[in-house]
Amino acid sequence: MNKIATGVIATLLMSCTTAWAQPVELRMSWWGGNSRHQSTLKAIAAFEQKYPDIKVKAEYTGWDGHLSRLTTQMASGTEPDVMQTNWPWLIIFSKNGEGYYDLNKLKEVLDLAQYAPGDLNSTTVKGKLNGLPISVNAPVFYYNDVTWKKAGLAYPKNWDELFAAGKTFRSTLGENYYPYAMVDQDVILLLNAWMMQKYSKPMFDPSGKFTWNDAQWQEAFSFVKRLSDDHVIPGPKTMSSYGKGNLYEMKPWITGEWGGTFTWNISIRMYINNMTPPAKLVLGDYVMQPGARDSGVYFKTAQMFSVSKSTRHPQEAATLINFLLNDPQAVEALGLERGIPLSKTAEKILTDNGTIDPNDPVVAGLRQAQSLPTTAVATPYIEDLQVVDQFTAAREKMDHGGQTPAQVAVTFRQQVERIVRRLNR
């Protein structure tokens, strides 16, 4: 064999060896606050140490804008290999079950035995497992203990006390102090709980149809308007003065001028991390109407880890998800940043090491919700961002434009019914 041929063969062999040695690179996206970012990066570092042939490129953001970014990626087929996804997004991205990779095809890598059948059913669309559920979630009432002591009030147990608190905060602490602050999504869930307690009817039925009649819709928006009028929560004008961003990063939350919130138990860690010591966030009673048989508390699968339907590395993507959900290193690093894990292994690890503490606000919030009577069934419609946008517009029309609850109710219903028809098409 001549020298030229020998050199060509050597070059080819070297190229092949180099190609084989190249690690697989996965992209992974999620949203959250800084503590979730840091704990997830720590878990990814542990994964890369255990699997040196797989590298993970982290793509993380806050909640604001995450869905619009992912929507663009999904439409162009450029979404990450592994994604933290939200349960209501299934109706947006995977109506037929084919929007994400079917994880049933990766059973040899994923330990599905860690999950109850009902949990897996919640993320299965037309027989295709669209994601592994991370935890369950429910909105409950949390309070800044220092601010409420300044106001001289006990935490409300019923709606009369909740509304009365707004007036006391204003007269005792000043115009800038409010008992609660909430994003519009949480105001919708608060409204849903109030109406469920009164009428045992949720806003939507499972098919996306409204269940409230004309009089009830007027009453619903009267309730929403009263929250601002009675100084229970900042109105749209006040909120807009702080610009766009996460509520828990806004100055009035950090300084304690906003005395509490009603939000998902798994999100509360981000609120806790931005409080000014010595203030602590504590769980209050679930506000109820006297004699109500249904609390209206709203349970849902919180988040999922999903795999891109077009990933070139499904086995490696599944390996990463399985590590994050079940490996002791990852489980300890992630803690309760995404709620109490549904994985049996992860729950045992965090129980044994004391992370799942009954007094922890994340844990206590979920346990309280689980103890309450409810017939509310989670639907993706109540969290759809188009629906939330219409709700925001209705609040602004009452706050800025002087429209009545009856007027905004008509427009809201018409617009949302169109949205639901498009979603169900």
Side-chain angles (χ1 to χ4, degrees):
M1 187 178 294
N2 59 39
K3 290 183 179 179
I4 294 176
T6 303
V8 170
I9 292 171
T11 301
L12 287 171
L13 287 171
M14 189 177 297
S15 298
C16 291
T17 303
T18 302
W20 291 332
Q22 290 293 324
V24 167
E25 182 175 272
L26 297 174
R27 292 166 55 217
M28 176 181 170
S29 68
W30 70 90
W31 72 88
N34 188 57
S35 58
R36 182 181 293 173
H37 299 333
Q38 295 308 313
S39 65
T40 307
L41 291 171
K42 184 178 178 182
I44 288 173
F47 173 80
E48 290 180 332
Q49 188 172 11
K50 186 172 181 177
Y51 299 96
D53 56 334
I54 307 175
K55 299 300 176 187
V56 181
K57 181 182 178 184
E59 301 176 7
Y60 49 93
T61 68
W63 167 254
D64 223 30
H66 188 90
L67 177 57
S68 58
R69 176 183 177 183
L70 182 60
T71 300
T72 301
Q73 292 173 328
M74 294 284 283
S76 60
T78 59
E79 70 272 16
D81 301 276
V82 174
M83 296 164 278
Q84 174 186 299
T85 53
N86 204 13
W87 178 79
W89 297 350
L90 287 173
I91 197 171
I92 302 173
F93 296 128
S94 193
K95 285 185 218 177
N96 59 4
E98 297 178 0
Y100 302 107
Y101 199 97
D102 181 8
L103 299 185
N104 286 318
K105 296 177 181 178
L106 298 168
K107 289 179 180 178
E108 70 279 7
V109 181
L110 297 169
D111 188 359
L112 301 183
Q114 295 299 325
Y115 298 88
D119 294 329
L120 296 179
N121 287 340
S122 72
T123 57
T124 297
V125 181
K126 297 192 175 179
K128 296 178 174 63
L129 184 58
N130 275 222
L132 278 192
I134 301 170
S135 58
V136 290
N137 202 6
V140 286
F141 294 86
Y142 291 101
Y143 298 92
N144 181 316
D145 62 342
V146 168
T147 301
W148 280 74
K149 283 175 187 172
K150 283 181 184 175
L153 289 175
Y155 307 134
K157 295 179 182 291
N158 59 55
W159 296 99
D160 286 343
E161 291 174 354
L162 179 143
F163 280 107
K167 296 173 183 176
T168 300
F169 262 64
R170 180 159 49 189
S171 62
T172 304
L173 301 179
E175 192 69 30
N176 294 333
Y177 280 80
Y178 292 84
Y180 308 90
M182 302 174 204
V183 298
D184 284 314
Q185 172 66 84
D186 294 339
V187 178
I188 292 175
L189 294 169
L190 185 71
L191 167 63
N192 195 62
W194 186 74
M195 293 292 282
M196 281 290 293
Q197 290 178 21
K198 192 166 185 182
Y199 296 108
S200 296
K201 290 181 179 181
M203 183 181 293
F204 292 99
D205 71 12
S207 70
K209 289 182 179 178
F210 286 133
T211 69
W212 303 337
N213 62 32
D214 291 348
Q216 289 167 340
W217 271 109
Q218 182 174 340
E219 187 177 357
F221 276 106
S222 295
F223 169 85
V224 172
K225 186 174 186 295
R226 188 182 172 195
L227 289 171
S228 301
D229 290 350
D230 284 17
H231 209 75
V232 176
I233 62 174
K237 280 183 191 173
T238 302
M239 291 301 293
S240 65
S241 69
Y242 295 101
K244 290 208 165 194
N246 297 311
L247 187 151
Y248 51 81
E249 292 175 332
M250 294 179 180
K251 185 179 177 182
W253 176 261
I254 296 169
T255 60
E257 290 179 346
W258 294 342
T261 191
F262 173 79
T263 196
W264 303 106
N265 72 291
I266 70 161
S267 301
I268 208 62
R269 186 77 67 219
M270 295 177 275
Y271 289 79
I272 294 169
N273 291 338
N274 283 356
M275 296 176 73
T276 301
K280 293 184 177 63
L281 201 70
V282 297
L283 179 70
D285 288 305
Y286 199 84
V287 175
M288 294 284 289
Q289 299 215 30
R293 297 180 185 177
D294 195 314
S295 67
V297 67
Y298 186 87
F299 282 101
K300 68 157 190 171
T301 297
Q303 300 159 356
M304 309 174 288
F305 281 136
S306 300
V307 173
S308 165
K309 66 179 180 182
S310 55
T311 182
R312 292 184 297 154
H313 309 292
Q315 299 286 326
E316 290 84 355
T319 301
L320 173 58
I321 290 176
N322 200 66
F323 181 87
L324 293 174
L325 294 176
N326 297 309
D327 187 277
Q329 278 186 285
V331 169
E332 291 184 358
L334 295 174
L336 300 178
E337 286 295 335
R338 290 178 175 85
I340 301 172
L342 289 173
S343 161
K344 298 169 192 171
T345 290
E347 183 179 12
K348 184 176 188 311
I349 290 168
L350 296 182
T351 300
D352 290 347
N353 70 13
T355 300
I356 297 181
D357 175 357
N359 298 314
D360 184 291
V362 176
V363 180
L366 180 62
R367 298 303 185 227
Q368 180 193 80
Q370 290 171 327
S371 72
L372 296 168
T374 184
T375 57
V377 177
T379 70
Y381 308 100
I382 201 168
E383 293 182 71
D384 184 84
L385 289 191
Q386 297 175 86
V387 174
V388 177
D389 286 344
Q390 291 299 322
F391 185 79
T392 300
R395 289 191 70 205
E396 288 173 349
K397 286 172 186 172
M398 289 190 291
D399 194 38
H400 297 199
Q403 288 196 19
T404 66
Q407 288 172 321
V408 299
V410 171
T411 305
F412 176 80
R413 291 173 67 184
Q414 290 173 345
Q415 294 297 327
V416 171
E417 283 169 353
R418 289 192 190 102
I419 290 167
V420 170
R421 282 197 296 271
R422 287 198 299 270
L423 288 172
N424 288 340
R425 219 175 266 162

